[in-house]
Amino acid sequence: MKNSVSRKKLLITASTLPRYAGDTEPRFVLDLAKELSKYYNVTILSPAAPEAKCIEVLEGVRIERYHYFPIHSLETLCYPGAIVPRIREKKLRALLVPFLFSGLLAALWKRRNDYDMVYANWFIPQGIVQCLFKTPYVITGHGGDVTSLNMKPISTMKIKAVKKASYVTVVSHRLKDELLRIMPKGEQQELSKKICVAPMGCDIMRFSPKYRVNQLWKQGDRKVILFVGRLAEKKGVRYLIEAMKWVDAQLVIVGIGPLQDELKRMTKSLLLDDKVVFEGAKNHDELPAIYASADVFVAPSVTAKDNDKEGFGLVILEAMASGLPVVASRSGGIVEIIEDGVNGSLVEEKNAKELSAAINRMLEDTEYREICKKNMSVTVERYSYENVGKKYRDIFDTIMK
């Protein structure tokens, strides 16, 4: 580890981050920042939220949050969840978008000479705004920021952000293909050289089969099927609920989102109330026991109407690290984690019948299940934060020579 005085200064920008200790918001940016802190002096810059402190140190990482609207209680564009789903949930939030862009612009201008490099997570708004500055930067595309919102002038701004970036990473090969598709045709080959695949990681020390709690849901003799994630269109939860018509087990759904009420109504209409449990959001300290106490994890993701799809699928890695065999859809970056019949099962998108058959096989075929579980450990090790952090360090070091 380098001396903290001589180390380079890295600013990480992001719009999804835990707002406080014990928050249920995704934490992969924070986890990567913790790993990168071994090599650099790291600060995370993220939007303000009513429940969050303006400046704090969270798990050893300095976090600064910028205000983007005069009334602090109305800074609700980014949390909980993500920007686009928040706008879909309440259309008036779209009025906050220009304020978010200008707030980030002002925060970056204030810090423009303070850092050796900026690492921008998501193209919108972080990558697009960062290209207005001279500080060297890397952008990571995580999913919907690449696959959706590609009408002009946003696509033009994305192209400019890629061209000015020192490097661009995406979390799956499919996302790289999607990003290149919106680049000018005559420049795709050249721009491809600066776009690499570098997934986020899994904290393999946090998740383990040892955290299993017998009868956590008082399920009796029933096996437990688990889903963890946002209750949004691209997660495909409606197909999992439908599949439960043909599965003799209990489904536990962990998460909240804009489709929560609709999915509960669907459950009731299918007379599945006795099979389906909505647990709501759980924080990251609660998740290890939840994963380890289930029997099969299911990720039924789909391609949404606006072309948004799963960028990678970190919950799959967390489930695998917990010893939980996985059934998932052939959707987005999921296919780069799961090899069908080797470390899990894959089914076609939006096919509840096929999904139920794959779940039943995973529950009933002991030999098949054990083969998948044996190979899962190799997969998880590949995505440990130690390995992921080293890959990002190699990229950043070429820029901050």
Side-chain angles (χ1 to χ4, degrees):
M1 185 182 296
K2 298 176 184 177
N3 182 280
S4 61
V5 177
S6 63
R7 291 190 298 174
K8 298 288 187 178
K9 295 179 180 179
L10 174 67
L11 179 67
I12 299 177
T13 57
S15 50
T16 295
L17 195 74
R19 294 162 291 179
Y20 44 80
D23 192 11
T24 59
E25 289 297 294
R27 55 173 291 134
F28 52 87
V29 172
L30 177 62
D31 284 333
L32 181 56
K34 287 168 61 178
E35 190 64 31
L36 291 173
S37 294
K38 295 179 180 178
Y39 315 113
Y40 314 109
N41 288 336
V42 174
T43 299
I44 299 177
L45 179 67
S46 67
E51 306 90 339
K53 296 177 181 177
C54 292
I55 298 176
E56 68 174 328
V57 175
L58 196 57
E59 299 185 29
V61 179
R62 179 179 172 83
I63 297 171
E64 299 176 2
R65 297 184 176 89
Y66 61 91
H67 289 290
Y68 59 92
F69 197 70
I71 304 173
H72 181 43
S73 61
L74 295 181
E75 292 179 313
T76 59
L77 182 60
C78 304
Y79 304 97
I83 296 171
V84 174
R86 295 287 289 165
I87 293 173
R88 288 192 186 126
E89 187 179 51
K90 186 180 287 189
K91 305 296 185 189
L92 278 175
R93 289 197 181 109
L95 299 175
L96 290 170
V97 171
F99 291 95
L100 182 69
F101 273 78
S102 60
L104 176 58
L105 181 65
L108 288 171
W109 175 260
K110 181 180 178 181
R111 297 163 175 81
R112 66 191 182 281
N113 297 318
D114 294 345
Y115 296 92
D116 298 291
M117 198 197 91
V118 175
Y119 172 39
N121 285 270
W122 291 279
F123 275 86
I124 304 169
Q126 286 77 219
I128 287 174
V129 174
Q130 189 58 52
C131 76
L132 301 175
F133 295 88
K134 293 181 180 180
T135 308
Y137 67 91
V138 171
I139 304 173
T140 288
H142 290 278
D145 59 322
V146 173
T147 59
S148 61
L149 299 174
N150 285 322
M151 70 294 289
K152 290 186 177 181
I154 297 177
S155 61
T156 302
M157 291 188 282
K158 287 184 183 181
I159 291 166
K160 182 179 178 181
V162 170
K163 288 183 176 181
K164 290 193 67 177
S166 301
Y167 234 92
V168 176
T169 72
V170 286
V171 296
S172 68
H173 290 89
R174 291 200 170 195
L175 273 186
K176 180 175 180 178
D177 293 341
E178 293 274 356
L179 183 57
L180 286 172
R181 198 167 289 126
I182 67 170
M183 295 297 114
K185 284 190 166 36
E187 301 177 59
Q188 287 174 339
Q189 187 172 356
E190 187 62 30
L191 291 175
S192 178
K193 296 175 184 177
K194 67 158 66 176
I195 303 173
C196 77
V197 177
M200 294 292 102
C202 176
D203 186 350
I204 60 177
M205 302 304 293
R206 178 183 291 269
F207 301 97
S208 168
K210 69 183 180 182
Y211 297 118
R212 184 176 180 88
V213 177
N214 290 325
Q215 296 294 311
L216 182 61
W217 295 280
K218 298 180 175 59
Q219 67 269 25
D221 295 333
R222 277 182 170 174
K223 298 294 186 180
V224 174
I225 312 302
L226 179 65
F227 168 85
V228 177
R230 287 277 296 163
L231 302 186
E233 183 190 0
K234 74 174 179 180
K235 299 298 182 180
V237 182
R238 62 177 298 107
Y239 302 100
L240 175 54
I241 292 173
E242 184 182 353
M244 292 305 296
K245 293 189 294 186
W246 305 289
V247 178
D248 183 17
Q250 180 167 311
L251 170 61
V252 174
I253 296 174
V254 175
I256 57 174
L259 297 184
Q260 181 171 295
D261 291 341
E262 180 183 325
L263 293 171
K264 287 182 177 180
R265 287 194 297 270
M266 177 185 175
T267 299
K268 187 177 289 292
S269 69
L270 293 175
L271 304 179
L272 293 173
D273 284 1
D274 65 326
K275 280 188 174 184
V276 181
V277 177
F278 288 85
E279 285 279 86
K282 298 294 180 181
N283 67 43
H284 299 281
D285 292 329
E286 296 171 297
L287 285 175
I290 289 172
Y291 279 118
S293 302
D295 297 289
V296 174
F297 185 83
V298 182
S301 302
V302 301
T303 302
K305 292 185 182 73
D306 65 355
N307 199 44
D308 190 10
K309 61 188 72 173
E310 204 70 67
F312 186 58
L314 288 178
V315 290
I316 292 173
L317 294 176
E318 292 171 354
M320 286 181 169
S322 303
L324 199 55
V326 178
V327 175
S329 300
R330 290 184 177 89
S331 184
I334 288 175
V335 297
E336 296 178 29
I337 304 175
I338 297 179
E339 185 178 353
D340 188 33
V342 177
N343 63 349
S345 293
L346 290 173
V347 302
E348 293 307 312
E349 287 188 15
K350 304 179 181 180
N351 192 325
K353 196 73 176 179
E354 188 180 354
L355 187 61
S356 68
I359 294 170
N360 283 327
R361 183 187 181 190
M362 196 66 82
L363 287 172
E364 297 164 6
D365 189 335
T366 303
E367 183 178 356
Y368 176 70
R369 184 172 64 249
E370 290 306 313
I371 289 172
C372 291
K373 290 176 73 172
K374 180 180 178 181
N375 292 323
M376 289 182 330
S377 60
V378 178
T379 303
V380 171
E381 183 62 38
R382 190 162 68 243
Y383 294 108
S384 71
Y385 266 108
E386 182 178 3
N387 289 331
V388 170
K390 287 177 180 176
K391 182 163 188 174
Y392 273 92
R393 179 199 62 185
D394 291 343
I395 293 170
F396 295 166
D397 278 355
T398 63
I399 299 166
M400 296 188 286
K401 292 178 181 177

